[in-house]
Amino acid sequence: MNKFSQLGLSQVIVDNLEKLGFENPTPVQEKAIPLLLNQNPTDFIGLAQTGTGKTAAFGLPLIDLIEDNNSTQALVMAPTRELGQQIAVQLESFSKGIKSVNIEVVYGGAAITNQMKALKSPTQIIVATPGRLKDLINRRAVKLEKVQYVVLDEADEMLNMGFKEDIDEILSYTNEDRVTWLFSATMPNEVRKIVSKYMNNPLEVAVNTVQQSNKDITHQFVITKNNNKLAAIKRFLDLQPEMRAVMFCRTKWQTQEIADELGQLGYGVEALHGDLSQSQRDAVMKRFKTRSMQMLVATDVAARGIDVNDLTHVFNHTLPDQLESYTHRSGRTGRAGKKGVSMVFINPREGNKIKELEKKLNVSFERVEVPTLDELKSKRIHNWANIIVNTNVDQQSGDILNEVAHLFGNLSKEDLLKRLITTQLDHLTSGGGEEDNLNEAYGGSPDKRDRGKFNRYFINVGSIDGLTKADLVHYMADISGIERRYFGDITMQKNRSYVDIDSGKDRGISLKFEGIEIDGRAIRVNKDDQGPSGGFGGGSDKGGFKKKKRKDRPRPDKRRDGGRRSGRGRR
C-alpha cells in the first residue's frame, strides 16, 4: 500500500506519486504534509538537510490547497535558478492532470520578456529567485495581492547570498493574512529574524538534523600546505578513478583556475561559477550528470540546486566563511541511502576549525593521509592497463605502426611494456615538483625543504616538438642528472617552455645542455632572467632528441663563433 495515501493527500496526487515510483514518504514529508493540510492556514518551519525530500514536503500539500481560480495563490522562493528549475519540474510532475494548477518558474540569466509572456497566462504557483521576481514586480508583470502561501526554500542560503532586502520588498506586496512556510538546513540569527518578523506562532518540524542526515557521510580531513592541496587532490582522483565528486572553492577565480589546471593534466574536470552564462552552466551540468566528467569544481553559490544523487565525494578545497555552509556542501553526497565522503583540506594552522566544526555541527572528523606516490603506482598502472586492453583499435593505427616500427628496433614485448609503464609512472612524479609525502602535522613540518626557492629556466622546446610536460621533465632530468622531484611548475608554449627548478639543485644545468640537438636544432637552457640566447626558432614536429659528443668540446667562455659541433646522436 502506498503510504502517501495515509497523509491526507488527494487521490490524483497519490496516483501521480505511484506513477513516479514514490511509495514511502521521507521523515520530513511524513511529519510536514499532515500538519500543512490539517492545520491550514498555519505558518510553518521545516528544519531538514538538503536531499531529505523538502520539495515534496511543501509541494504536495501546496498543490492540494490551490483553489480553482485564475489568481496567483502561491509563491515559492529559492536561492538559485538551478534549484528553482528543479522545484518547478517536481511540482509539475506532482500536479499532472490537475487543470486548476499552472506553474511557472522565473529566474535571472534567461530572457525576461519570455517570462513576462508566460506569466500572462493564469499562473497559480510561481517559483522564483528573489532578484528576478523583484524585477518582474517592478515591471508590473506579477501581482501578488492574492497570494495565500509563501514558501521560503533554503532560507539560510538565500540570506547568505544577500537576498534579505529583496525578500523584505517582495513580501511587502503580499497580504498580511498570507501564511509563510520556511524550510532551512540551519537556523542562524538572520533566519530567526525572518521568523520573528513574518511568522505568527509557527508550527515546527525538525527531522534529519545534522547528526541524523549525515549518518551515511564519512567526514574526513587532510592536513597539507596550501600550495600542495591541488597535488593532494590529484592523488585522491588517481587512487579512485571511479569517483564522482564536487569540489567547493571560495572564489570564482580559484574555481576556474583549478578546473583549468586539472583539465590540462587530463582529468575530467570542469568549473561551475557565476561568471558562466546560463547556457554554459546548463551544458556543464548536463555533462556532469551524464558522467562525461569526474569532478565538478564549484563555488557555494553556483552549486546550490545541484541535484545529483550518486556523488561519492565532496571535497572542500577551502572551508566556507560561515561554517554552517559546510552542512550544505557535505549534504551533496550520502543521499538516497548511499554512502559518501566529505573531505576537508586544511593547512597546518587550521586544526582549530575542524574542532569548531565538530562542536558546532555535532559531527566527528577522521584524519586521513594523502596517498604517497608509491601507493599510487600499482593503482595507476592497473587502471592504465585496463584502458589499453579495452581500447578499440583505430583503423589508421596499422599504417602509423608501419611508419614507426623501425624506431623500436629489436625491443622485445617485455622491454617495450617496461618503457610504456615508465612513461606512465613519470606522470606521477613530474610536472609539479611534488614531494612524495604531502602530509603535514599540526603547526607544520619544519624538516621539509622550502619549496619557495626555485629558479625559473627557459628551454627552447615546446608542444610543437610532440612533448607533454611529463616528457619534458623526464628528458631534462635525464640530461641534467637532477631528480624529477626537484622540478616545479612548467609553462609549455608552442616552441618554448619555462621550468622551475629547485635552487639548491640547479647548479651548472645550462652547461649540461651544451651540444644537445633536436633534429639539428641546438637546445638552449638558461635562467629566464638572463633571456634566451639564440637558436630559439620554431621546433620540429619529428621529435628525436640527439646529444652531441662532448669530447674535445671547447669551454663555453672561449667559444666565439657560435658554430655547431658534430657527433653521434643520443636518445
Side-chain angles (χ1 to χ4, degrees):
M1 180 178 179
N2 191 306
K3 293 186 178 180
F4 279 100
S5 63
Q6 302 173 8
L7 303 182
L9 293 166
S10 64
Q11 189 59 47
V12 64
I13 287 184
V14 173
D15 291 342
N16 284 339
L17 291 173
E18 286 184 350
K19 292 175 184 177
L20 293 169
F22 292 92
E23 295 182 358
N24 299 312
T26 66
V28 68
Q29 294 164 3
E30 191 170 21
K31 292 186 177 183
I33 291 172
L35 283 177
L36 294 174
L37 288 173
N38 298 329
Q39 301 296 320
N40 179 58
T42 181
D43 288 335
F44 178 86
I45 298 172
L47 293 177
Q49 302 303 307
T50 300
T52 55
K54 296 196 306 298
T55 302
F58 66 75
L60 296 174
L62 189 64
I63 293 168
D64 257 352
L65 293 172
I66 292 297
E67 299 175 359
D68 188 4
N69 64 59
N70 292 338
S71 62
T72 298
Q73 301 166 50
L75 171 63
V76 181
M77 282 190 274
T80 67
R81 48 195 167 192
E82 288 81 9
L83 183 57
Q85 288 171 315
Q86 290 173 21
I87 291 171
V89 168
Q90 290 189 55
L91 294 183
E92 287 172 355
S93 64
F94 297 154
S95 62
K96 190 173 183 180
I98 305 177
K99 296 182 179 180
S100 61
V101 177
N102 180 42
I103 301 158
E104 293 292 344
V105 57
V106 294
Y107 48 83
I112 195 170
T113 53
N114 293 339
Q115 295 174 356
M116 293 172 65
K117 182 178 179 181
L119 289 170
K120 289 181 179 180
S121 299
T123 304
Q124 285 73 33
I125 301 176
I126 295 177
V127 183
T129 53
R132 176 50 58 94
L133 181 60
K134 193 175 74 168
D135 288 344
L136 289 166
I137 292 172
N138 292 336
R139 294 176 184 233
R140 301 182 183 277
V142 172
K143 295 181 179 180
L144 304 180
E145 296 87 359
K146 296 184 179 181
V147 165
Q148 302 174 47
Y149 307 95
V150 172
V151 181
L152 303 177
D153 192 20
E154 303 211 3
D156 51 352
E157 194 62 23
M158 280 197 287
L159 297 179
N160 287 341
M161 293 169 62
F163 287 131
K164 173 67 166 59
E165 293 183 359
D166 289 345
I167 292 173
D168 285 338
E169 182 176 342
I170 291 167
L171 293 181
S172 71
Y173 293 101
T174 63
N175 286 325
E176 292 185 0
D177 60 353
R178 52 104 180 91
V179 296
T180 303
W181 300 349
L182 183 148
F183 285 80
S184 185
T186 59
M187 189 61 75
N189 289 335
E190 288 300 315
V191 175
R192 294 188 184 279
K193 290 178 182 178
I194 290 282
V195 172
S196 176
K197 184 174 182 179
Y198 294 110
M199 304 176 77
N200 182 30
N201 297 322
L203 298 176
E204 183 172 328
V205 166
V207 298
N208 287 345
T209 52
V210 172
Q211 62 267 34
Q212 293 173 312
S213 66
N214 286 348
K215 65 182 180 180
D216 290 326
I217 302 175
T218 299
H219 299 268
Q220 300 175 342
F221 71 98
V222 170
I223 304 178
T224 190
K225 293 179 180 177
N226 286 333
N227 59 358
N228 280 337
K229 284 184 178 182
L230 190 58
I233 289 165
K234 288 191 297 182
R235 295 189 187 182
F236 284 107
L237 292 173
D238 284 333
L239 195 64
Q240 302 180 63
E242 71 284 356
M243 175 192 298
R244 295 200 73 219
V246 171
M247 182 165 73
F248 288 94
C249 301
R250 279 184 179 172
T251 66
K252 294 180 286 188
W253 173 83
Q254 186 182 55
T255 298
Q256 191 64 57
E257 182 183 49
I258 290 174
D260 287 345
E261 183 167 348
L262 289 174
Q264 289 171 4
L265 293 172
Y267 294 90
V269 174
E270 291 193 48
L272 186 71
H273 53 73
D275 283 348
L276 300 180
S277 67
Q278 183 62 42
S279 60
Q280 289 174 320
R281 291 159 65 96
D282 291 342
V284 169
M285 284 307 304
K286 182 178 181 180
R287 288 191 290 271
F288 189 52
K289 290 183 177 181
T290 56
R291 296 178 174 270
S292 296
M293 69 176 95
Q294 184 180 13
M295 185 169 73
L296 190 68
V297 186
T299 57
D300 286 287
V301 172
R304 302 307 298 157
I306 291 178
D307 186 19
V308 181
N309 289 326
D310 55 353
L311 290 181
T312 61
H313 288 71
V314 168
F315 287 148
N316 296 268
H317 182 272
T318 45
L319 282 169
D321 293 324
Q322 296 186 343
L323 295 184
E324 291 87 350
S325 295
Y326 176 79
T327 301
H328 291 288
R329 292 182 174 187
S330 62
R332 298 294 159 193
T333 188
R335 291 186 171 191
K338 296 181 180 179
K339 303 297 181 181
V341 173
S342 178
M343 186 179 294
V344 178
F345 293 83
I346 62 171
N347 65 48
R349 297 176 300 279
E350 293 180 311
N352 62 315
K353 292 186 177 181
I354 295 297
K355 295 177 181 178
E356 187 177 351
L357 271 175
E358 289 182 318
K359 182 178 180 180
K360 180 171 289 190
L361 304 181
N362 195 22
V363 295
S364 179
F365 279 81
E366 166 194 2
R367 180 176 177 179
V368 296
E369 299 283 308
V370 180
T372 64
L373 292 175
D374 284 341
E375 290 175 306
L376 291 178
K377 287 181 180 179
S378 61
K379 183 72 174 180
R380 173 70 175 264
I381 296 303
H382 180 78
N383 294 332
W384 169 78
N386 279 331
I387 292 173
I388 294 296
V389 170
N390 293 294
T391 295
N392 293 325
V393 176
D394 189 283
Q395 293 180 354
Q396 294 181 327
S397 61
D399 294 336
I400 296 174
L401 178 60
N402 290 333
E403 294 177 8
V404 300
H406 68 281
L407 297 176
F408 300 117
N410 296 320
L411 288 178
S412 67
K413 176 181 177 181
E414 182 178 354
D415 289 336
L416 184 58
L417 287 174
K418 285 181 179 179
R419 283 164 172 76
L420 289 173
I421 289 172
T422 298
T423 62
Q424 288 300 307
L425 294 177
D426 283 344
H427 288 279
L428 290 173
T429 57
S430 62
E434 295 178 14
E435 302 172 33
D436 182 53
N437 183 10
L438 300 181
N439 297 290
E440 297 285 334
Y442 287 110
S445 299
D447 58 322
K448 290 194 174 182
R449 66 190 176 95
D450 183 358
R451 299 196 53 76
K453 296 180 180 178
F454 282 86
N455 288 325
R456 188 167 179 82
Y457 282 86
F458 171 97
I459 179 171
N460 60 322
V461 173
S463 58
I464 198 172
D465 294 294
L467 302 178
T468 65
K469 291 181 180 180
D471 295 332
L472 181 60
V473 170
H474 181 81
Y475 177 70
M476 292 185 70
D478 180 53
I479 299 299
S480 68
I482 299 173
E483 293 183 41
R484 292 191 293 275
R485 63 194 179 99
Y486 293 111
F487 285 77
D489 292 336
I490 299 172
T491 300
M492 180 173 281
Q493 299 175 1
K494 185 176 181 180
N495 60 1
R496 66 187 66 197
S497 300
Y498 298 90
V499 183
D500 288 349
I501 302 176
D502 190 301
S503 60
K505 303 293 180 180
D506 64 344
R507 185 175 180 180
I509 186 174
S510 297
L511 295 178
K512 294 177 181 178
F513 283 83
E514 289 287 341
I516 306 298
E517 289 186 358
I518 298 180
D519 289 344
R521 174 165 52 91
I523 300 301
R524 299 286 185 268
V525 173
N526 50 270
K527 281 188 179 180
D528 186 33
D529 58 5
Q530 295 175 355
S533 57
F536 298 150
S540 166
D541 57 3
K542 298 179 182 179
F545 289 98
K546 296 180 181 180
K547 184 173 181 179
K548 307 302 287 184
K549 282 185 177 180
R550 297 179 184 268
K551 186 177 180 180
D552 299 327
R553 184 170 61 191
R555 292 175 58 86
D557 57 349
K558 294 182 179 180
R559 186 179 173 195
R560 303 295 182 185
D561 58 2
R564 293 179 178 176
R565 296 179 298 278
S566 62
R568 62 182 177 88
R570 171 188 170 187
R571 291 197 59 78

